[in-house]
Amino acid sequence: MGAAKVLNAKGLACPMPIVKTKKAMAELETGQILEIHATDKGAKSDLAAWSASGGHELVDSTEENDVLKFWIKKG
Amino acid sequence: MSNSNKVAIIASNGGVFDAYKVFNIATAAAATEKEVAIFFTFEGLNLIHKEANQNLPMPAGKEHFAEGFKNANVPSIPELVAMAQELGVTFIGCQMTMDVMGLEKEAFVDGIEVGGAVTFLEFAKDADVSLTF
């Protein structure tokens, strides 16, 4: 997936993955994709809710070796 | 942005657990494009007191959680305060409590407003989310 930017939020606890995502997303243009790597399990539901709340689209997510990856398209 | 997008928080306790409850919700809300104001009253003022908030007390008998905070890589309270302010969260210090405790505005982190209950109520009157900690 063509991510315009990759955000490393691994090892960070709530609310940092959300705060970092917000800041990273601010640098993207509408339609561009932000890829986020996190280890906070709460990020799974939080980033889904954050995307919905901000009008962004959670395109895909995966979980591999305790690393959660998310792809969010800026709305 | 509609004005039903507000989160109004009252912080009235001064322990480290209270601080995390307040600032985690506040920063998460602000990062989700909410307009957030926190009214700090009574012991809650400790959360934005320049010196006190460096070393807020754990609840009695819970001191062993200090290690858990370290292991979970949780930001410090002063870091969360700075982050909340950077995200545009409004801090309102309770004038009456400050008078009672003999505290001046200078004792608190920069950028706070000082006001009474009505200052907070004006903000909170059309907030969809109101929380008390």
Side-chain angles (χ1 to χ4, degrees), chain A residues 11-16 18-19 22-23 50 53, chain B residues 24 27 31-34 72-73 75 83 86-87:
Chain A
L12 299 177
C14 168
M16 292 313 299
I18 291 293
V19 171
K22 179 221 159 49
K23 287 183 183 169
W50 183 85
S53 167
Chain B
N24 278 23
T27 49
T32 314
E33 312 299 338
K34 313 289 184 202
N73 196 22
M83 208 176 301
E86 190 191 330
L87 289 164

Side-chain angles (χ1 to χ4, degrees), chain B residues 32-51:
Chain B
T32 314
E33 312 299 338
K34 313 289 184 202
E35 190 187 345
V36 186
I38 312 172
F39 185 58
F40 296 90
T41 184
F42 284 83
E43 286 95 328
L45 279 175
N46 288 341
L47 276 44
I48 49 169
H49 189 281
K50 269 183 210 163
E51 282 150 34

Side-chain angles (χ1 to χ4, degrees), chain B residues 77-107:
Chain B
I77 292 304
E79 284 170 340
L80 281 171
V81 165
M83 208 176 301
Q85 289 190 304
E86 190 191 330
L87 289 164
V89 175
T90 301
F91 292 170
I92 307 166
C94 172
Q95 177 77 66
M96 185 275 276
T97 316
M98 285 166 61
D99 292 346
V100 167
M101 296 182 173
L103 293 166
E104 299 293 335
K105 192 177 176 185
E106 290 66 38

Side-chain angles (χ1 to χ4, degrees), chain B residues 10 13 15 21-23 27 41 52 55 59 62 74 77 99 124 128:
Chain B
I10 295 178
N13 289 288
K21 293 168 196 171
V22 168
F23 292 122
T27 49
T41 184
N55 196 16
K62 310 281 187 194
V74 174
I77 292 304
D99 292 346
D128 275 346

